[in-house]
Amino acid sequence: MQLSGQTDTIKLLQKSLSPGLSVISEKVLANQSLSPADGLLLFEKAELGFLGVLADVVRKRKNGDKAWFIRNFHVEPTNICVNRCSFCSFSHHFSPSKWELTVDEILAKVDEQEETVREIHITGAVHPKRDIIYYGELLKKIKARRPDLHVKAYSAVELDYMIKKAGMDFTTGLKYLKDCGLDSVPGGGAEIFDETIREKICGMKTSSSDWLGIHHAAHELGLPSNATMLYGHVETYAHRIDHLERLRHLQSLTLGFNAFIPLKFHRYNNEMKDIPEVSVNEDMKMYAVSRIYLDNFPHMKAYWPALGRKMAQVSLSFGVDDMDGTINDSTRIYSLAGAEEQSPGMTVSGMKQLIEEAGRIPLERDSYYRPVL
Ligand code: V47
């Protein structure tokens, strides 16, 4: 029999599948959402190759053969943190050095970038002495220098702290920052929503409901955002599905999320260093199940400084359509945690080559996933 595409491949595979997995594959082909029990069955029983085929159906439905990337850079204003998360190698509690950039130092980093760089991603630790006025002024100064630069800034954890400190509610605080120049909110700080696991690995930080509440408020103000999950530590598959379910539910209300970004736990130099890192097969499983489950998320991003560029390339066959960006060696969060990319930066031609080698069409994007032509 000659195969005419993914549907035929799945129909062939169905003959050797358990009834549960076969029903799931029918749902995916019919563009129906999976139940939490379906998601769990995929994690527990599905072969990796089968997950790749199903994830590919969803990826292709949403993005064709395009794989997006952006010219961007990060600024991590400080690593001095009021929180003490067990998985974090970045904060001053564990990092070999302690830093806080001045506004001028941050602006100098903005000035260093070529004009073609279109997005700045600002995130860092939760500094006890800084407040919403400071962060708002920073946004205004960046916009005064580079009005065209999209500012994706402050994880929900930083926002939670500065907004509560100002005595504001989430909507008022975010509106203030939006008026100062905030364009979108990055996905950091989500970790794992399950309250028991969250208490174990990052009990001091923003609660899951506040993380979701901040993103909800941002979406209602027209600020798009991303979502992440820190996986591969002490959580179970059921915790991962619970996390995906909470995200899918919020997305069904707002459609404000752009991308989901699974973040693989790295163990170097943090309080969870005794936990072995998961295999690359487990990474690809995580990407594929997320792509299949989050059927209302337009994009799945492989954050290559965390995953490594080779596995990011492989992830394009497990649901990923977005390779994040060129980064320009501007982030330390993962290098401090022992990721293989110790100086993460990629040229545009390197990015395009990586994508083309995986059989996809590289497309430079802006922060709203509009092609840059
Ligand atoms: O929230 C910290 C994670 C996140 C470790 O929105 C760790 O486009 C693994 O959210 N091992 C911050 N992960 C980074 C982040 C992000 C990155 C890229 C793009 C976007 C986006 C957002 O990094 C933290 C935490 O989950 N993290 N330490 C570690 N040892």
Side-chain angles (χ1 to χ4, degrees):
M1 181 197 290
Q2 222 187 357
L3 296 180
S4 63
Q6 295 156 311
T7 308
D8 287 347
T9 311
I10 291 170
K11 294 277 175 207
L12 269 183
L13 285 171
Q14 277 173 349
K15 297 192 175 119
S16 56
L17 291 175
S18 69
L21 289 177
S22 185
V23 169
I24 290 174
S25 65
E26 287 296 346
K27 283 190 185 176
V28 174
L29 287 176
N31 203 2
Q32 289 168 11
S33 296
L34 300 190
S35 68
D38 293 335
L40 203 53
L41 196 67
L42 284 182
F43 267 131
E44 286 173 348
K45 300 284 185 223
E47 297 281 343
L48 187 57
F50 172 64
L51 289 175
V53 176
L54 282 191
D56 230 33
V57 170
V58 185
R59 172 194 61 75
K60 209 166 181 146
R61 189 179 283 145
K62 292 184 179 293
N63 290 284
D65 278 337
K66 296 190 282 288
W68 304 95
F69 70 93
I70 189 166
R71 294 184 211 226
N72 66 347
F73 71 110
H74 288 225
V75 168
E76 292 161 352
T78 180
N79 73 339
I80 299 172
C81 200
V82 298
N83 296 322
R84 193 183 167 114
C85 303
S86 310
F87 57 80
C88 182
S89 319
F90 170 83
S91 83
H92 77 281
H93 304 292
F94 302 104
S95 170
S97 65
K98 205 174 181 180
W99 77 84
E100 46 189 317
L101 301 178
T102 64
V103 170
D104 285 343
E105 283 168 330
I106 295 175
L107 294 176
K109 287 180 187 289
V110 173
D111 291 344
E112 270 168 27
Q113 305 302 317
E114 289 176 15
E115 275 173 26
T116 48
V117 171
R118 27 189 90 244
E119 183 183 273
I120 178 173
H121 176 160
I122 312 176
T123 196
V126 181
H127 193 295
K129 296 216 173 103
R130 294 196 171 156
D131 59 17
I132 197 163
I133 306 293
Y134 171 88
Y135 285 112
E137 290 303 307
L138 179 61
L139 294 171
K140 284 187 202 164
K141 287 181 180 149
I142 292 171
K143 284 290 185 182
R145 302 274 246 255
R146 280 282 310 267
D148 58 314
L149 192 65
H150 178 103
V151 185
K152 180 174 76 175
Y154 315 136
S155 72
V157 177
E158 293 150 89
L159 291 167
D160 184 36
Y161 185 81
M162 67 176 96
I163 292 174
K164 284 184 182 155
K165 191 170 175 177
M168 295 173 173
D169 59 41
F170 294 150
T171 302
T172 312
L174 283 162
K175 169 89 175 48
Y176 172 79
L177 293 169
K178 187 180 181 201
D179 290 344
C180 293
L182 182 69
D183 293 307
S184 65
V185 175
E191 322 313 358
I192 279 282
F193 291 146
D194 176 83
E195 279 72 12
T196 317
I197 301 295
R198 199 171 184 84
E199 180 60 33
K200 276 192 193 148
I201 67 170
C202 54
M204 293 168 77
K205 87 188 327 175
T206 308
S207 68
S208 305
S209 64
D210 280 347
W211 190 98
L212 291 161
I214 286 168
H215 283 259
H216 196 161
H219 297 171
E220 285 187 335
L221 288 167
L223 292 166
S225 73
N226 291 331
T228 58
M229 183 202 299
L230 179 71
Y231 71 93
H233 43 90
V234 294
E235 88 289 2
T236 64
Y237 288 145
H239 296 134
R240 293 189 199 178
I241 292 294
D242 166 66
H243 193 98
L244 296 177
E245 177 60 28
R246 296 196 210 189
L247 289 175
R248 193 174 70 179
H249 175 67
L250 177 53
Q251 179 75 332
S252 73
L253 304 177
T254 64
L255 290 179
F257 286 118
N258 275 332
F260 177 64
I261 312 152
L263 294 171
K264 178 194 180 104
F265 165 66
H266 287 279
R267 62 195 280 262
Y268 180 75
N269 200 27
N270 57 52
E271 282 182 337
M272 285 162 55
K273 60 182 178 304
D274 294 335
I275 298 171
E277 290 178 14
V278 296
S279 68
V280 292
N281 285 38
E282 193 59 41
D283 292 330
M284 292 307 104
K285 193 186 234 194
M286 177 63 207
Y287 277 82
V289 176
S290 305
R291 177 61 290 179
I292 299 162
Y293 202 84
L294 292 178
D295 56 353
N296 55 6
F297 271 60
H299 303 286
M300 275 283 300
K301 186 190 281 194
Y303 185 55
W304 62 268
L307 193 58
R309 65 189 76 195
K310 291 217 165 70
M311 286 319 296
Q313 188 180 42
V314 174
S315 75
L316 291 167
S317 299
F318 289 87
V320 165
D321 64 279
D322 180 12
M323 296 286 280
D324 195 77
T326 46
I327 312 275
N328 202 9
D329 193 14
S330 53
T331 173
R332 294 273 82 85
I333 296 180
Y334 285 91
S335 46
L336 286 168
E340 67 183 46
E341 302 283 347
Q342 283 296 301
S343 306
M346 226 195 282
T347 60
V348 167
S349 61
M351 180 68 88
K352 286 183 173 167
Q353 187 182 344
L354 205 74
I355 292 171
E356 277 165 358
E357 283 170 358
R360 300 278 181 269
I361 303 158
L363 211 55
E364 184 177 347
R365 66 170 175 85
D366 68 9
S367 305
Y368 303 98
Y369 289 82
R370 294 179 301 211
V372 172
L373 301 168

